[in-house]
Amino acid sequence: MTSRIIAVAVLLFLPLPIVIVVLSSFTSAGYLSFPIKGVSLRWYAEFLGSADWLRVMGTSALLALIGATVSTAASLGAAWAVVRHRIRFGTVYETILLTPLIFPHAAIGVIMIVTLSSLGWLGTFTGLVLVHCILTIPYAYRPVAAALRKADPALEEAAASLGSRPWRTFWQVSLPAVRPGLVTSLLFSFIISFDEVTVTMFLVGPFVMTLPVQVFSEVLESASPVIAAVSATLVLFTSAMVFVLDRVIGIQFFVERD
Amino acid sequence: MQDTDSEAVILKIDDVSKVFDGARAVDRVDLDVNEGEFVTLLGPSGCGKSTLLRMIAGFEVPSSGRILMRGKDMSRDPAYQREIGMVFQNLALFPHMNVYDNVAFGLRARKRTDDLDRRVREMISMVGLEGFESRRTGQISGGQRQRVALARSLVTAPDVLLLDEPLSALDLKLRRQLQVELKRIQRETGITFIFVTHDQEEALSMSDRIAVMTAGKVDQYGSAVDIYHKPQTEFVARFVGETNFLSGSVCSVTSEQTELDLDGTDIRLSVATTSAARRQGERMSVSIRPEHVLLGARGEYSVPARVVSHSFSGATITYALDSAAGPLLAQVPFQPGRGHPLLPGETVSAGWPNDAITLIPA
């Protein structure tokens, strides 16, 4: 009985901050507070009426879209080499791909400042795309590799024996067979990129800014409830994507291994 | 061996070997397959039969030797350029397509799309799957999946169809049923089938010719009757059905008859000389199938024997006997009401007719 009470308490506690942020975004007061004084949508109006916020949101969405696509395509190539062609040192290669998961993000941030400035990409959109690819590849690689391991290599031989040339086999047989992995990979790396703060913070500049980093710097400067409205929108957006993911593929696909 | 008209040879395996990491998976195999024939590659797992099949399909390149299709060397052509269909052991149906699209795939890939619909439906009806066209392959039974795989590989009317143990995952009853059906479809389409199996009963019941393989080599290639009744090696005799081996020494050889003194007895066997014959004084074996061993003083030869054990299997009883010439298995018909089976310890005379004996090099 006690254990059940603890379990319920934990389950209620976990989403509690999210609930508080969402509730406080509807405040009518001019400062961030909880419980809220009165109900209003003025902060949503301010968020969606601000060209600055919308531009930053657009940058983040575009960055996440390009990053997710590039990461997924690169992961497919890498996974193909490791899983299908069993290249030498495949598992070593796999581990290297997954290192951004365990490497301290602050350190990656510093390393990337050095790397990007030597390339002349510091504070540019291109630089952010590169870094976001590196950060999302571990999330993109696993579902793609898992899907490829599940897919039967005899499918491609079957297609060839039916007279299908390699490109046709790739588009009509190989790709559809790993489609669940590709969709998971795209959505998951999109979410990771869209929400990334720690590393991105080091790399933004006057000409490029992402939504989560903007939220962070706003919080430092003021306690405007518009931040709560932005956060609530982000939560809604991310939840919607996870929901879609669960409906389309099943959430266990990237929770379980293989 | 039956006569092979060179006009009718559709596929010729010419001295083909395949070496993987120094191991010879297929070792200098020669094989001719005639047009419209049902040929089986029979052997235990690891004997090289699947590797040979994969070389014919174009998924592996021979390390040496040639594979000729209608006289043209195609050893190095990619799989998609060969007019060869294949049914895979795990079937390899396209999971994201329905039955119809699976069957239509080959015609679309080969761009033979005029009257595609008619040909696909014709093939689906030949394998008895009308009404299942829009089902996903995950929504049909194992036997139906088998039929889809067959229809998919036959729709392009390949010159040769390769089948890699396609029935091994099915239960016995369904397996029997599909064996009959495969045979019917092969007759109806007239397509040359090359079938791989480790199941000797399956091989005997379906094939025009069987190539028995062991350790990468073809031990014997011939009709089912020849393989069973005239095994040329000890491996073939043992692998295909059960058999008794008795050994002896050659006492005389002529071009027609070989005489052999059977060990432990004063019996002198006189058998037709085969290519396996040896010179006088050398050791040889004879193979006698258990169903040819007769109990009671019958047959041209007989030896005294003692019953060690018996096992009943419906229509027949198999006795394990201890005879003067060595251990013998005898399989005799069982007729209810015609006396009791022999009991362990009883003595009996075991014999066999002369034409039941095959000479095997020792």
Side-chain angles (χ1 to χ4, degrees):
Chain A
M1 194 60 205
T2 9
S3 64
R4 175 170 297 193
I5 291 172
I6 294 172
V8 171
V10 168
L11 284 179
L12 286 179
F13 178 74
L14 283 176
L16 202 62
I18 296 173
V19 175
I20 290 174
V21 166
V22 172
L23 286 179
S24 58
S25 69
F26 292 105
T27 189
S28 56
Y31 49 91
L32 208 47
S33 63
F34 189 80
I36 57 173
K37 298 285 183 319
V39 178
S40 122
L41 288 175
R42 60 181 281 208
W43 300 112
Y44 284 92
E46 182 167 331
F47 167 40
L48 297 171
S50 147
D52 277 349
W53 277 113
L54 290 183
R55 184 173 41 77
V56 170
M57 190 163 74
T59 307
S60 266
L62 188 65
L63 175 64
L65 195 68
I66 297 176
T69 313
V70 174
S71 279
T72 302
S75 295
L76 180 62
W80 202 278
V82 171
V83 176
R84 273 300 148 77
H85 296 291
R86 300 174 184 282
I87 52 162
R88 258 169 201 265
F89 308 119
T91 49
V92 176
Y93 188 48
E94 233 171 9
T95 311
I96 293 172
L97 280 182
L98 299 180
T99 44
L101 275 182
I102 47 164
F103 213 70
H105 273 193
I108 297 180
V110 174
I111 294 164
M112 283 306 160
I113 289 181
V114 179
T115 313
L116 291 189
S117 41
S118 71
L119 290 168
W121 285 351
L122 191 59
T124 67
F125 186 75
T126 321
L128 285 186
V129 168
L130 179 72
V131 172
H132 277 222
C133 283
I134 293 170
L135 292 174
T136 53
I137 266 196
Y139 300 92
Y141 180 81
R142 274 189 53 177
V144 173
L148 206 57
R149 286 201 171 93
K150 265 189 201 167
D152 179 4
L155 291 180
E156 285 138 28
E157 291 180 347
S161 79
L162 290 165
S164 174
R165 289 171 171 276
W167 65 266
R168 188 187 191 95
T169 303
F170 180 76
W171 285 106
Q172 298 202 349
V173 176
S174 317
L175 217 49
V178 295
R179 186 161 47 203
L182 293 179
V183 174
T184 308
S185 165
L186 280 172
L187 287 175
F188 212 29
S189 39
F190 185 93
I191 292 171
I192 296 292
S193 163
F194 197 70
D195 289 349
E196 215 297 316
V197 181
T198 335
V199 179
T200 316
M201 238 169 53
F202 289 81
L203 309 168
V204 290
F207 305 109
V208 61
M209 177 55 79
T210 72
L211 190 60
V213 176
Q214 182 68 32
V215 168
F216 182 74
S217 41
E218 286 285 317
V219 161
L220 292 183
E221 286 165 21
S222 69
S224 165
V226 75
I227 295 160
V230 173
S231 304
T233 312
L234 279 180
V235 168
L236 180 75
F237 184 71
T238 309
S239 312
M241 288 196 67
V242 172
F243 179 77
V244 168
L245 197 61
D246 187 37
R247 272 299 129 105
V248 176
I249 315 288
I251 202 94
Q252 77 279 3
F253 198 90
F254 56 97
V255 178
E256 272 173 24
R257 185 167 177 86
D258 291 311
Chain B
M1 294 252 174
Q2 69 193 59
D3 285 331
T4 50
D5 179 358
S6 64
E7 292 274 301
V9 171
I10 187 164
L11 183 77
K12 189 175 176 64
I13 313 285
D14 180 17
D15 199 20
V16 164
S17 297
K18 179 70 187 179
V19 182
F20 288 118
D21 301 323
R24 297 185 86 82
V26 172
D27 194 4
R28 308 199 63 173
V29 166
D30 287 303
L31 218 56
D32 281 358
V33 177
N34 293 335
E35 188 142 22
E37 208 175 12
F38 193 125
V39 167
T40 295
L41 307 179
L42 173 68
S45 56
C47 72
K49 57 192 194 299
S50 287
T51 307
L52 182 57
L53 203 71
R54 292 176 59 78
M55 286 192 281
I56 300 171
F59 305 139
E60 307 280 356
V61 176
S63 307
S64 65
R66 297 183 309 161
I67 298 172
L68 299 110
M69 185 85 153
R70 296 189 196 284
K72 185 184 153 286
D73 185 2
M74 55 151 199
S75 321
R76 271 146 195 89
D77 293 353
Y80 59 83
Q81 276 175 11
R82 305 184 185 195
E83 291 288 330
I84 293 181
M86 177 139 171
V87 177
F88 291 78
Q89 187 162 18
N90 66 357
L91 305 184
L93 298 179
F94 303 130
H96 53 284
M97 296 182 194
N98 62 23
V99 169
Y100 184 95
D101 289 330
N102 262 282
V103 176
F105 187 90
L107 290 175
R108 288 178 180 146
R110 291 188 194 278
K111 307 216 161 41
R112 296 180 199 154
T113 43
D114 33 301
D115 74 349
L116 173 133
D117 188 62
R118 186 185 60 76
R119 289 166 71 176
V120 171
R121 288 185 191 285
E122 212 172 78
M123 198 48 72
I124 287 176
S125 101
M126 184 165 86
V127 297
L129 280 178
E130 299 104 324
F132 290 92
E133 287 88 348
S134 56
R135 296 281 192 95
R136 285 293 185 105
T137 57
Q139 299 169 329
I140 54 178
S141 73
Q144 288 166 337
R145 291 161 57 80
Q146 211 77 47
R147 291 156 202 265
V148 176
L150 197 59
R152 182 181 69 174
S153 58
L154 283 171
V155 76
T156 55
D159 288 339
V160 174
L161 183 68
L162 310 174
L163 303 103
D164 188 7
E165 310 215 24
L167 306 180
S168 59
L170 301 175
D171 64 65
L172 193 65
K173 212 167 171 188
L174 192 53
R175 201 170 165 152
R176 290 275 149 74
Q177 191 190 331
L178 279 164
Q179 284 171 7
V180 174
E181 216 164 318
L182 261 183
K183 197 67 194 152
R184 169 184 68 84
I185 288 168
Q186 196 256 338
R187 262 198 317 271
E188 277 176 22
T189 57
I191 290 172
T192 311
F193 275 32
I194 301 180
F195 188 87
V196 159
T197 184
H198 62 267
D199 180 337
Q200 41 106 2
E201 267 180 62
E202 197 164 88
L204 291 174
S205 69
M206 298 173 79
S207 325
D208 295 322
R209 278 197 288 175
I210 300 172
V212 185
M213 291 186 68
T214 176
K217 287 176 183 295
V218 172
D219 251 30
Q220 189 173 351
Y221 185 36
S223 71
V225 172
D226 277 358
I227 294 283
Y228 189 80
H229 289 289
K230 293 177 191 152
Q232 283 167 6
T233 68
E234 185 178 335
F235 177 81
V236 173
R238 284 193 193 279
F239 191 74
V240 182
E242 271 195 288
T243 197
N244 295 300
F245 278 105
L246 301 178
S247 46
S249 323
V250 176
C251 71
S252 78
V253 186
T254 69
S255 58
E256 273 111 47
Q257 292 289 307
T258 300
E259 296 200 317
L260 193 72
D261 283 329
L262 209 55
D263 292 354
T265 67
D266 51 11
I267 292 174
R268 178 163 287 182
L269 295 172
S270 178
V271 280
T273 299
T274 65
S275 56
R278 291 290 193 275
R279 275 171 294 127
Q280 191 177 346
E282 278 191 272
R283 307 281 299 159
M284 286 200 82
S285 299
V286 290
S287 154
I288 304 164
R289 298 283 178 193
E291 66 270 25
H292 294 145
V293 176
L294 308 165
L295 298 184
R298 296 187 290 149
E300 272 121 327
Y301 306 101
S302 69
V303 288
R306 196 174 53 81
V307 177
V308 176
S309 66
H310 67 257
S311 68
F312 174 67
S313 56
T316 61
I317 294 187
T318 304
Y319 292 103
L321 306 171
D322 200 3
S323 83
L328 270 182
L329 287 175
Q331 190 186 49
V332 298
F334 178 71
Q335 290 144 323
R338 298 272 304 271
H340 64 87
L342 296 167
L343 297 173
E346 283 189 60
T347 52
V348 67
S349 136
W352 55 86
N354 200 26
D355 54 11
I357 311 169
T358 311
L359 272 178
I360 307 274

